[in-house]
Amino acid sequence: MPSNYDILAEIHDEIGIGDFAERMTSRLLDYAQRNDWMGRQIAVLGSGSSESIRWLAQHSYVVTGVEQSQRMLELTQSALDTAGVSAQLILADFRAVTFLPHDMVLSLDTLSELSNIRDLERVLKHIHGLVKAQGLFIFDMYTIEGLVKRNQDGYALEHDADGLTIFAGNDIDYERSIQYRKYIIFREQGAGWERQEAERRLRAYPVQGVTALVKRCGFEVHSVLREDMRTYDMNESAQRVIVVARKP
């Protein structure tokens, strides 16, 4: 039976899984360079971020992409082939993958899928070993407020064209700050329709708790940014934050 992400890989564009990575990758690289980062080797972790991998490869970075969905990795390779660029792609769980340390590790729209704070701490400690000294680890997280806002829509038609119909619905566990987005997918097959279901589970953590954990795992917190690249202020509303951490 296909995994959630093997199913979601087939509707990657229709549900916008890569939209955040596509919007933010170039802006974050520009930000890093304006803050004295001069590296070339970048690892991209999880969530089928082919948009980040493709952009980085097109701009002459040496890229390693890590993805645990076989189908998502195949589609990433296809996108690279179409663009005429290359990257090293690894089929693995980013929580356990090993490779030589890189100048930057980039993880967009991924760490919010970790289900508890212990798992997040283990991941941060693991990624610390994948970053070179003076290198950067850049990742985003949903805020609790942002997850609640994301949950406000009920079941809605997400896509309906070319023999593909997708409905998406939301539910939230307020006590644990976990949001569930369930996709019901109908794909035309000959004279009938094939039905599939898949789910994304996202968790939010207090921003101060995340930055404290980042420091405890051996990084320095260089900055915490909003999506508009302004410094995050706890008195302002923000759906996500982007943490820029430096390894001493």
Side-chain angles (χ1 to χ4, degrees):
M1 180 178 294
S3 69
N4 271 327
Y5 270 97
D6 285 336
I7 294 171
L8 292 174
E10 301 294 347
I11 57 171
H12 176 277
D13 293 340
E14 287 81 5
I15 63 175
I17 285 180
D19 289 355
F20 181 75
E22 186 168 26
R23 187 167 69 250
M24 297 305 301
T25 300
S26 62
R27 301 174 72 184
L28 290 170
L29 266 292
D30 177 67
Y31 179 86
Q33 290 169 341
R34 287 189 287 107
N35 285 273
D36 301 323
W37 180 83
M38 298 295 290
R40 302 304 301 171
Q41 293 179 303
I42 302 177
V44 180
L45 305 183
S47 277
S49 297
S50 60
E51 289 78 7
S52 293
I53 295 169
R54 184 180 66 247
W55 187 92
L56 292 166
Q58 287 174 320
H59 289 80
S60 301
Y61 290 98
V62 179
V63 188
T64 300
V66 180
E67 172 57 56
Q68 63 180 343
S69 162
Q70 176 69 48
R71 185 57 181 147
M72 200 78 84
L73 209 67
E74 291 170 357
L75 294 172
T76 298
Q77 184 62 65
S78 178
L80 292 171
D81 292 343
T82 299
V85 294
S86 63
Q88 180 187 17
L89 301 181
I90 300 174
L91 179 65
D93 187 332
F94 70 87
R95 293 172 293 188
V97 68
T98 58
F99 47 76
L100 292 176
H102 284 45
D103 300 309
M104 178 189 291
V105 173
L106 181 64
S107 182
L108 299 180
D109 210 6
T110 300
L111 295 196
S112 286
E113 297 187 0
L114 298 174
S115 59
N116 60 70
I117 198 73
R118 291 184 299 276
D119 205 9
L120 178 59
E121 183 173 12
R122 284 193 293 268
V123 166
L124 291 171
K125 287 179 178 177
H126 179 65
I127 291 174
H128 185 271
L130 304 179
V131 181
K132 291 181 180 179
Q134 301 305 311
L136 297 180
F137 174 38
I138 301 178
F139 67 95
D140 73 288
M141 299 285 289
Y142 277 95
T143 63
I144 295 173
E145 174 192 11
L147 216 57
V148 170
K149 285 185 177 179
R150 176 183 163 90
N151 190 67
Q152 289 176 346
D153 296 332
Y155 264 99
L157 182 63
E158 189 97 347
H159 177 87
D160 187 22
D162 303 321
L164 178 66
T165 300
I166 305 167
F167 293 93
N170 302 308
D171 194 10
I172 194 166
D173 180 337
Y174 287 100
E175 184 176 343
R176 300 170 63 203
S177 299
I178 298 177
Q179 192 238 5
Y180 306 87
R181 177 162 288 185
K182 182 177 181 180
Y183 296 94
I184 301 176
I185 306 150
F186 296 93
R187 191 181 303 276
E188 192 171 12
Q189 297 284 355
W193 291 79
E194 177 189 50
R195 186 183 192 273
Q196 289 182 306
E197 294 185 6
E199 181 181 84
R200 286 193 80 192
R201 180 182 303 181
L202 301 174
R203 181 161 189 180
Y205 301 94
V207 176
Q208 285 182 312
V210 171
T211 56
L213 196 59
V214 168
K215 294 174 185 176
R216 194 158 77 220
C217 293
F219 290 101
E220 298 171 349
V221 177
H222 178 276
S223 51
V224 181
L225 306 171
R226 297 161 46 94
E227 288 186 58
D228 60 10
M229 302 303 293
R230 293 191 293 115
T231 299
Y232 171 68
D233 182 336
M234 292 193 63
N235 296 316
E236 293 183 317
S237 174
Q239 185 167 343
R240 305 192 203 207
V241 295
I242 301 159
V243 179
V244 180
R246 189 183 300 274
K247 180 175 177 178

